[in-house]
Amino acid sequence: MITPMTKYSFVLLKEEEGPLLEKLQEIGLVDITRSAKPVDETSQKLAGEVELLDGLIQGLNKAVIPEDTRPEHIDGDIVRLAGGQIMRYSEDMVEIKALEKEVKDLRAWGYFDRSTVDQLAQAGVPLHFHILSQKQFKPEWAQEYALTIICGKKGKTVYFVVAGEDPLPGEVPIPESCVTEKMAQLEERKEHFKKTQRRIAGAKERIPELEKLRTEALEKLDLYLAGVTAQSAAENTVLTLVGYAPSEKDEAVTAALEQTGVLYLKEEAQVMDNPPITFSNNSYVKMFEPLTDMYGRPAYNGFDPTPFISVFFLLFFALCMGDAGYGLILIIIGLLLGKVESFKSMAPLVTTLGIGTVVVGFFMHSFFSVDISTWKVFEPVSSLFLPAEIGGYAGGMVLSILVGIVHICLAMLVKAHQAVKVNGLTASLGTLGWTLLIVGGVVVGGLALTGVMDSAITKWIIIVLGVVSALGIFVFNNPERNKLANIGMGLWDTYNTATGLLGDVLSYLRLYALGLAGGMLGMAFNDMGKMVLGDGSNAILWIPFVLLVVIGHTLNIAMCALGAFVHPLRLNFLEFFKNSGYEAAGRNYNPIKKQ
């Protein structure tokens, strides 16, 4: 749910600005509206410092240092020293790679004295160096010219030298030095690189200093950007600032502000203030908040879609995967991600998606694309498995459509609730009419199909629903318009709703299609493995069988996971958000605080 916010308006003298912002940064609860990017020369300089320190930290972390390297401690300005060592490290790497390539190229020519080559040229016997492929080289040239093959293997490149007259193709510039000289340069550069590595290892020990400097620079930038937003008055001697904090933290914020002595006004935030948005959700729903942020946060008078996403994204993902075995793999991946610092935040979500996939995959009676409904061990619970057909249609297809109908009906109920909350009852009769007609019709139709309601009662309920809904849709959809205009608008809404809802419901077939495609591909890999294995009597054939099945299912899991992420996200962002009237008009809650 959206957390209620309190608006704080500050009136202060110019000299009070710094202490106030520092106090607000210390408590870390007040959001001062500010730019996320540099706005002037001062903020650009501060941002540049942050960027420089980021680059130094990343550069030191990326530098590969052998385990047996003894760190060489370096004193002085860590920023300047680290920058210099990283630059030398990069230069040495580039130089070593270039020298290694030159050594490789020169190795074919072997040892020669460049001064002797120059003396021969001055004496009128120039040497010409050639490189040709084995196909281009003709052995008879050795009879016609003073030609010596330096290096040449069958089917590969031929290196040869011609003395004197030389009209032959493939001539290359004479190397400036031989391989032994270049190898000596390479060894010298490698020794220099080892010294650089020792200094880099010493600089790595001082990374915490760089991180502290980066934190301080970020805090300075945050404070400066917050201060820039202040409105000046009385010849720049008085400033006004506006900030927002969660209402549940009013006591802590008020106690801190009383210590500053700054004049401030406190009031409940209003929609027109466009306060920042933060959510109050339990630990399970919080895992899905990044998905909501991918689309955008709601307006202050909107609703938090994350609780709905936490249920339906999980369900849709599991239906797209559709395999309990794949779910177990996801659980293992999630547990392993929890041990990696940079991926730790993703681990709970991946594990949860894996658990959901195991449950739905069992319901779909699929384990690594093997039908477990035929296993005797599951006979006592076979009634829990999804039937192959429902009403003459594929069970998975019917389930996808039913889930889609429930999802859209829930979206319409949310839209009706929001319309009444924001616009009032009389201005929401059109929305209520559509919700009553569609959601009520679905509920009544479901009860009638299952035999819960008698057909006669069903008929009268449908008539009442139709009449009441029609009044809201065609007559009272907008109290400020005349009735004829309302009827015309109602007809237009009827056309759009009828065509739109049909397409929206059919969109949920992708859940069935993706699950079916993944299952079929997995079965194909299983069948290929069985063909390789045969009757299993040959033990050697178990090796290619295991490799084929493991590699095949690994590829299938990767492709299924990609589709299972994208398409459920689409169904929530398009079908649910459109039918619920969700608008991403809010901004994230970003209090100034210590990093």
Side-chain angles (χ1 to χ4, degrees), residues 222-245:
D222 206 27
L223 279 179
Y224 182 80
L225 291 175
V228 169
T229 63
Q231 300 293 322
S232 60
E235 297 182 353
N236 204 30
T237 58
V238 177
L239 300 176
T240 60
L241 272 174
V242 176
Y244 299 90

Side-chain angles (χ1 to χ4, degrees), residues 118-390:
D118 293 338
Q119 290 174 8
L120 287 171
Q122 292 174 4
V125 188
L127 297 183
H128 304 274
F129 288 60
H130 293 260
I131 301 177
L132 284 176
S133 66
Q134 188 74 37
K135 292 182 179 180
Q136 293 174 312
F137 180 77
K138 297 179 181 180
E140 58 267 24
W141 288 343
Q143 306 299 324
E144 302 175 24
Y145 305 97
L147 182 151
T148 301
I149 296 177
I150 306 301
C151 177
K153 295 181 180 180
K154 186 177 179 180
K156 295 189 177 181
T157 305
V158 179
Y159 293 74
F160 61 95
V161 175
V162 178
E165 182 183 355
D166 179 19
L168 301 179
E171 185 172 2
V172 296
I174 300 174
E176 293 295 329
S177 59
C178 68
V179 66
T180 53
E181 295 175 357
K182 197 59 68 175
M183 288 180 68
Q185 294 178 24
L186 176 60
E187 289 304 316
E188 182 182 350
R189 178 54 66 174
K190 284 184 176 179
E191 285 300 317
H192 185 274
F193 185 53
K194 288 180 180 178
K195 182 178 180 181
T196 302
Q197 286 180 317
R198 291 194 295 270
R199 285 180 166 270
I200 288 286
K204 278 177 173 282
E205 295 178 344
R206 298 181 64 183
I207 285 180
E209 294 180 42
L210 292 171
E211 291 176 337
K212 181 181 179 182
L213 291 173
R214 177 185 177 277
T215 298
E216 292 173 355
L218 275 173
E219 291 175 354
K220 288 179 182 178
L221 177 60
D222 206 27
L223 279 179
Y224 182 80
L225 291 175
V228 169
T229 63
Q231 300 293 322
S232 60
E235 297 182 353
N236 204 30
T237 58
V238 177
L239 300 176
T240 60
L241 272 174
V242 176
Y244 299 90
S247 298
E248 59 190 26
K249 303 293 184 180
D250 278 353
E251 187 175 341
V253 176
T254 301
L257 291 178
E258 291 296 334
Q259 298 175 12
T260 65
V262 173
L263 175 63
Y264 69 92
L265 301 175
K266 183 176 72 171
E267 59 183 326
E268 184 180 338
Q270 304 297 322
V271 176
M272 66 281 295
D273 297 325
N274 189 28
I277 305 300
T278 186
F279 299 134
S280 299
N281 292 315
N282 57 43
S283 57
Y284 169 75
V285 176
K286 275 186 179 297
M287 291 189 296
F288 296 85
E289 286 182 3
L291 301 183
T292 299
D293 288 336
M294 290 175 67
Y295 191 88
R297 298 213 167 184
Y300 190 60
N301 61 346
F303 69 96
D304 179 10
T306 315
F308 304 103
I309 292 176
S310 68
V311 174
F312 286 97
F313 181 84
L314 174 61
L315 175 61
F316 296 164
F317 183 94
L319 286 172
C320 289
M321 295 295 287
D323 191 284
Y326 290 0
L328 289 176
I329 298 298
L330 288 175
I331 292 174
I332 294 172
I333 292 173
L335 294 176
L336 293 176
L337 288 176
K339 300 181 181 298
V340 181
E341 189 64 32
S342 55
F343 294 103
K344 189 175 290 186
S345 60
M346 296 172 52
L349 179 59
V350 174
T351 305
T352 302
L353 294 175
I355 294 172
T357 302
V358 169
V359 174
V360 173
F362 176 80
F363 177 67
M364 306 286 283
H365 48 86
S366 177
F367 187 81
F368 289 107
S369 300
V370 176
D371 187 359
I372 61 176
S373 65
T374 59
W375 297 3
K376 290 184 179 181
V377 68
F378 291 118
E379 284 184 359
V381 293
S382 58
S383 59
L384 298 176
F385 295 147
L386 178 70
E389 289 190 358
I390 299 176

Side-chain angles (χ1 to χ4, degrees), residues 527-576:
D527 291 340
M528 290 167 63
K530 291 177 183 177
M531 292 170 62
V532 171
L533 182 62
D535 59 3
S537 58
N538 190 341
I540 298 297
L541 294 178
W542 280 93
I543 297 175
F545 165 76
V546 172
L547 288 175
L548 181 60
V549 172
V550 170
I551 294 174
H553 280 290
T554 299
L555 292 173
N556 197 29
I557 289 173
M559 290 188 292
C560 288
L562 179 62
F565 179 81
V566 172
H567 291 281
L569 210 58
R570 179 197 183 279
L571 291 173
N572 280 282
F573 284 178
L574 293 184
E575 275 66 32
F576 184 81

Side-chain angles (χ1 to χ4, degrees), residues 69-126:
T69 301
R70 180 175 57 83
E72 181 179 327
H73 183 71
I74 53 175
D75 295 315
D77 183 2
I78 183 60
V79 175
R80 180 179 59 82
L81 293 171
Q85 295 308 317
I86 291 172
M87 186 176 296
R88 292 188 186 93
Y89 180 90
S90 301
E91 290 173 351
D92 285 346
M93 288 282 288
V94 172
E95 185 68 20
I96 288 173
K97 288 182 180 179
L99 288 170
E100 286 176 341
K101 183 179 184 303
E102 291 184 46
V103 168
K104 182 180 178 182
D105 294 339
L106 290 171
R107 197 178 296 277
W109 295 115
Y111 171 78
F112 65 90
D113 187 351
R114 177 58 191 260
S115 62
T116 303
V117 174
D118 293 338
Q119 290 174 8
L120 287 171
Q122 292 174 4
V125 188

